[in-house]
Amino acid sequence: MPDKIDPRALWNLSYGVYIVTSHDGDNLNGQIANTVFQVAAEPPMLAVAINKNNLTHEFIEKSGRFAVSVLEEAVPMAFIGKFGFKSGRDIDKFADCDYKISETGCPMVTVYALSIMEGKVVSSVEAATHTVYIGEVVSSEVLKQGTPLTYANYHIKKNGNEPKTAPTYRAPETETKNKVDIAMKKYKCDICGYIYNPEIADPDNGVGPGTAFADLPDDWTCPVCGAAKDAFSPED
């Protein structure tokens, strides 16, 4: 990376947390995305950035359609993990998930969603590892009132991480500490990168703040990807 670019400057940009979906005939897929934003008002138009290696990218290319669900702050980490850290090539992400099919065939996730909208692709821009799709909004609906989950709160309140295919992926930073409080030591999932922070713990699954990793039940699993405790390593 050039010396003139400090990646930390980009961390001050604001994002939300969304599910972007598409289809290939009867085949459905969706993923977590943070780069969704409105680019025009008349007619309303959205832009979404999707990694070229993702199945959702393949489906948008084929169908020319995408749908967006705006997630609420109360969404569980396991739900984010299902759509953000697992591939639709390996699992059916829509099993046990509330959704409806739009008139054009896109699955629109309705659970943990404040609003849903669908876009018809009118143009696209190549952006290195990603494609930015610009779509005209053809339908939209408010499902309920609530507080949207921001990317900042995903990191701060939910202790979340991003997959390597995210446009805002940050490589882990190494830290050196002379003394470590073992009881409050953080542990990282080797599978998905989730950080277990004892100060926050895992309230979605009944684990209260202040619970050390060693005190977690033996059957506790990563709230994002479902990995067992032995898949975690202590943070330096």
Side-chain angles (χ1 to χ4, degrees):
M1 182 175 293
D3 294 338
K4 293 183 178 180
I5 297 178
D6 184 344
R8 294 172 298 178
L10 302 174
W11 298 354
N12 290 321
L13 295 174
S14 299
Y15 303 91
V17 181
Y18 314 93
I19 293 180
V20 175
T21 62
S22 190
H23 72 102
D24 177 13
D26 293 333
N27 297 317
L28 312 177
N29 197 59
Q31 64 168 77
I32 294 293
N34 69 322
T35 311
V36 177
F37 52 98
Q38 185 173 351
V39 293
E42 295 294 338
M45 303 186 79
L46 297 175
V48 302
I50 304 295
N51 189 284
K52 295 176 182 178
N53 291 326
N54 290 357
L55 186 60
T56 303
H57 184 281
E58 178 182 323
F59 284 8
I60 295 176
E61 284 287 314
K62 291 181 178 180
S63 68
R65 292 286 197 278
F66 62 82
V68 177
S69 297
V70 181
L71 295 179
E72 63 180 332
E73 199 169 69
V75 59
M77 283 296 292
F79 188 79
I80 293 177
K82 179 179 182 180
F83 279 90
F85 289 89
K86 297 181 180 180
S87 172
R89 296 183 176 93
D90 302 324
I91 68 166
D92 177 6
K93 295 186 179 183
F94 292 89
D96 302 321
C97 173
D98 294 336
Y99 67 96
K100 65 180 182 179
I101 301 294
S102 71
E103 292 183 0
T104 60
C106 267
M108 307 178 83
V109 175
T110 56
V111 63
Y112 304 118
L114 300 178
S115 60
I116 53 178
M117 56 207 77
E118 182 184 11
K120 175 185 177 182
V121 176
V122 296
S123 63
S124 62
V125 179
E126 298 301 306
T129 56
H130 288 66
T131 299
V132 179
Y133 294 101
I134 299 175
E136 180 178 343
V137 176
V138 296
S139 70
S140 61
E141 179 184 354
V142 175
L143 301 177
K144 62 180 178 180
Q145 299 299 315
T147 303
L149 177 61
T150 65
Y151 213 47
N153 281 344
Y154 168 68
H155 281 282
I156 296 170
K157 292 185 178 182
K158 293 183 175 293
N159 209 31
N161 208 334
E162 58 273 285
K164 291 184 177 180
T165 55
T168 53
Y169 172 71
R170 306 175 188 178
E173 296 182 4
T174 56
E175 298 180 358
T176 300
K177 298 180 181 179
N178 294 327
K179 295 182 180 180
V180 177
D181 182 352
I182 299 299
M184 299 305 289
K185 192 175 183 64
K186 298 177 182 179
Y187 281 74
K188 180 179 180 180
C189 177
D190 298 331
I191 306 300
C192 71
Y194 168 80
I195 304 294
Y196 178 81
N197 182 351
E199 294 182 1
I200 301 173
D202 183 15
D204 287 347
N205 293 301
V207 181
T211 303
F213 185 82
D215 294 333
L216 290 171
D218 291 339
D219 60 354
W220 180 86
T221 59
C222 175
V224 173
C225 70
K229 282 182 67 177
D230 59 9
F232 280 72
S233 301
E235 283 278 87
D236 292 332

